[in-house]
Amino acid sequence: MAVRRGIQETNRVIAPGQTYAGVDDRVNRPILQNLTRSPIWWFLGFGVGFFFLMVYLYSVTTLIIRGVGIFGNNVPVAWAMPIVNFVWWIGIGHAGTLISAILLLFRQDWRTSINRFAEAMTLFAVVCAGMYPILHLGRPWLFYWLFPYPNTYGMWPQFRSPLDWDVFAISTYASVSALFWFIGLVPDLATLRDRAQNRFVKLFYGTLALGWRGSAKHWQRYQRAYLLLAALSTPLVLSVHSTIALDFAYSQVPGWNNTIMPPYFVAGAVFAGFAMVLILAIPLRYAFGLQNLITKKHLDNCAKVMLATGMIVVYGYIIELFIAWYSGVEFERYMAYNRLFGDFAWAFWALILCNAVAIQPLWSRRVRQSQVALFIISLIVSVGMWLERYVIVIVTLMRDFLPSSWGNYYPTVFDWSLFIGSMGLFLTLWFVFIRLLPTVATSEIKELVHHDMHHSGHDDDHDAPTHRAQPEVS
Amino acid sequence: MAHAVPAATAEPELYGLVAEFETPEALLEAANAAREEGYTKMDAYTPFPVTGLDEALGMSNTRLGWVVLIMGLLGGASAFFMQWFAQVVHYPLNIGGRPLNAWPNYIVITFEVTVLLSAFTAGLFMLARNGLPRPYHPIFNTPNFEAATRDRFFLCIEASDPEFDLGLTARFLEKLGPVRVSEVEA
């Protein structure tokens, strides 16, 4: 394979011949460089993100001043773009937790190179998602009424509503993901502290590293805590998107009241999330020269997970249509007819094209190994999963029980500016993250390097006795 | 290559003797040898978790899992109780004709609070038991200790060990093939 600046394109989890110090330099040196000497692409990316963040804040300000009517929502379609975008963003987050937690439980050593930035992606996606449940309220300043706290009215939140479950699910998801991410960062922050030359930079990372010194006693508890957090995050990630699915499945609306919703939403979330992981990973490995650590093996595996979950989603589409017919309920049948041939049939067929057809090339190894193809397919999947939520939320609401209450829905400029602005929020956070914190978990990579040194010449697919998940004492 | 004794007139307090190794295997061997020699108050410092190091150092297993289990159960029980208390006892309301004690509706929040409490226990209790945050520690006085987060592996035999003897322990550590052995002040 082509060698560029000592970088090898490889199909192993990490390229052979890595050293502890080499990993350290590769990941940490760009971070510790003087901020003014950041690469030009960083300033450009941050600048674009920051511009759209301003668009976001402008939209939020307008929303709060003028009210929720600036959106295109109407009476049959009271849930529209804000909910579509909410479900889309939070779905993206799920791949990060899948990589950091579920793959840890399955001892998949290819997670090591990508877990850090995937978790960061989760956090930033949850930040973008978490704003919508507040912003789509008519009176967002009273959102704290959704939390249980002793108050002088004797009032409680309504614990029988999935919208209140959402509050618990999202706030738990956000805070547990942040904790998991921070705990994973502590040893790497200590590395940055020890590498930093500048006094203030040292103080900054030293404060965040909490005085981590890599003691064997620390590592023992750390590994156990990390494993426990992974074991807790796994059901958490399944429950969060299931809870969001229940916002729909709990209702009586034909097209929403489907029992398949929770697992189908979770699969869709992982599908969309892995697409975003690929969209971020492919430029990232070039930007930081991480091809030795984020190898083609990772892209290939991500593509496989994307294909597997994508096929579950396709199965969901088939089952939705089959059950609509099989139910014998005319409202259910009409829902299916409306999706397939109604005024907004283009959305359904575009979604089938993006999510069911466009992923089929991923069966081929050649496509999975081609970064251009993967990047394009991932973009298509991201659009497709957005359309899926659009069809489920909006197209369903347009035509339900009473024909006198049928309507159409057209988003306004503020629907779009808030959505595009939320991408600015994501990008801003993302560019700050890749500049300030290690995008790859160096201490975990060093474990892989250690393992590699003992098995040089072996294939990398066999069970690796490394990892955080290793129980300490048999 | 013992580190020179500092030229202070007052005897500096000693934290321990630290040997620096180049590979995790050498550190593991040294830790095993030190345990067999009878040392008990020692610790190793590594850039990544080294499998088998805790056994080599004679450390007992962590009980973190039990604490997490208890806190998780407590979180779940209190979340369910809160919902039941709010909807059945404190301010019962007929909403949607559902029964007051609509227990299936309480499961999601019960579950989420269970995860929330156990995860925060796992993370924060681990940090607390490790004595973090603690910006200063005597081990940071070790020469070249910055490499403990990079590519070097350190074994410290603490001065508080009953078997500790400055001369004998230093000679013992020198025999293990370290890069250097340093005296570290408390």
Side-chain angles (χ1 to χ4, degrees), chain A residues 397-420:
Chain A
L397 284 177
M398 285 178 197
R399 305 272 187 280
D400 59 0
F401 292 113
L402 275 177
S404 61
S405 312
W406 286 0
N408 278 341
Y409 166 79
Y410 301 99
T412 63
V413 66
F414 285 106
D415 280 306
W416 289 112
S417 68
L418 193 70
F419 180 45
I420 292 165

Side-chain angles (χ1 to χ4, degrees), chain A residues 188-221:
Chain A
D188 292 349
L189 289 165
T191 309
L192 280 167
R193 170 199 66 199
D194 291 345
R195 293 294 85 69
Q197 302 299 318
N198 183 302
R199 195 183 150 71
F200 293 102
V201 175
K202 217 177 180 62
L203 192 69
F204 173 72
Y205 291 115
T207 309
L208 289 174
L210 309 173
W212 180 264
R213 49 189 190 270
S215 144
K217 287 172 189 161
H218 287 191
W219 278 122
Q220 192 203 38
R221 289 194 197 96

Side-chain angles (χ1 to χ4, degrees), chain A residues 372-384:
Chain A
V372 179
L374 276 186
F375 193 76
I376 292 170
I377 291 176
S378 301
L379 284 174
I380 295 175
V381 166
S382 297
V383 175

Side-chain angles (χ1 to χ4, degrees), chain A residues 361-434:
Chain A
L362 292 175
W363 292 99
S364 144
R365 189 181 172 79
R366 261 189 60 214
V367 174
R368 290 200 308 270
Q369 302 263 320
S370 152
Q371 295 169 66
V372 179
L374 276 186
F375 193 76
I376 292 170
I377 291 176
S378 301
L379 284 174
I380 295 175
V381 166
S382 297
V383 175
M385 284 308 292
W386 188 85
L387 284 168
E388 181 196 300
R389 279 68 180 247
Y390 189 91
V391 169
I392 291 175
V393 177
I394 298 175
V395 179
T396 307
L397 284 177
M398 285 178 197
R399 305 272 187 280
D400 59 0
F401 292 113
L402 275 177
S404 61
S405 312
W406 286 0
N408 278 341
Y409 166 79
Y410 301 99
T412 63
V413 66
F414 285 106
D415 280 306
W416 289 112
S417 68
L418 193 70
F419 180 45
I420 292 165
S422 70
M423 290 182 189
L425 174 60
F426 181 87
L427 279 181
T428 307
L429 291 167
W430 173 256
F431 278 96
V432 170
F433 157 70
I434 60 174

Side-chain angles (χ1 to χ4, degrees), chain A residues 20-22 24-25 148 153-160 164-165 168-169 171-173 175-176 179 182-183 186-187 190-191 193-195 202 209-225 228-229 232-233 235-236 239-240 243 246 250 443 446-447 450 454 465-466 468 470 472-474, chain B residues 22 24-25 42-51 53-55 57 59-62 64-65 68 82-83 85-87 90-91 93 95 98-100 102 104-106 108-109 111-113 115-116 118-120 122-124 126-127 129-135 137 139-140 145-151 153 158:
Chain A
Y20 306 136
D24 216 357
D25 289 339
Y153 313 118
M155 296 296 283
W156 291 86
Q158 177 46 247
F159 296 122
R160 283 169 279 200
D164 202 54
W165 307 346
F168 281 83
S171 51
T172 301
Y173 188 49
S175 48
V176 170
L179 180 80
F182 177 68
I183 296 285
V186 166
T191 309
R193 170 199 66 199
D194 291 345
R195 293 294 85 69
K202 217 177 180 62
L210 309 173
W212 180 264
R213 49 189 190 270
S215 144
K217 287 172 189 161
H218 287 191
W219 278 122
Q220 192 203 38
R221 289 194 197 96
Y222 177 88
Q223 283 183 294
R224 179 57 58 87
L228 283 167
L229 280 168
L232 289 163
S233 301
L236 177 65
S239 81
V240 169
T243 305
L246 289 173
Y250 198 81
S443 65
K446 285 175 187 171
E447 276 186 275
H450 174 54
H454 293 269
T466 56
R468 298 280 150 97
Q470 188 77 0
E472 293 80 16
V473 177
S474 50
Chain B
E22 275 190 311
E25 291 75 27
M42 50 182 179
D43 205 344
Y45 301 86
T46 57
F48 56 86
V50 176
T51 315
L53 191 57
D54 33 16
E55 289 118 287
L57 291 169
M59 282 162 47
S60 55
N61 211 341
T62 168
L64 188 64
V68 170
M82 173 190 73
Q83 296 174 79
F85 175 78
Q87 314 238 112
H90 191 242
Y91 199 155
L93 285 167
I95 290 180
R98 298 187 195 107
L100 291 178
N105 288 321
Y106 302 163
V108 173
I109 292 177
F111 173 82
E112 300 295 343
V113 178
V115 171
L116 184 72
S118 24
F120 269 79
L124 301 182
M126 180 273 288
L127 291 179
R129 285 286 289 148
N130 281 347
L132 302 176
R134 178 179 180 180
H137 189 273
I139 196 74
F140 287 126
F145 193 72
E146 297 87 56
T149 55
R150 184 173 168 90
D151 57 354
F153 304 82
E158 285 159 29

Side-chain angles (χ1 to χ4, degrees), chain A residues 55-74:
Chain A
V55 172
Y56 184 71
L57 293 180
Y58 173 76
S59 314
V60 170
T61 311
T62 314
L63 171 68
I64 289 171
I65 291 173
R66 287 179 49 194
V68 79
I70 63 169
F71 294 143
N73 303 19
N74 48 49

Side-chain angles (χ1 to χ4, degrees), chain B residues 4-5 27 30 40 47 71 90 116 121 151 156:
Chain B
V5 177
L27 172 72
T40 47
M71 288 304 282
H90 191 242
L116 184 72
T121 309
D151 57 354
C156 173

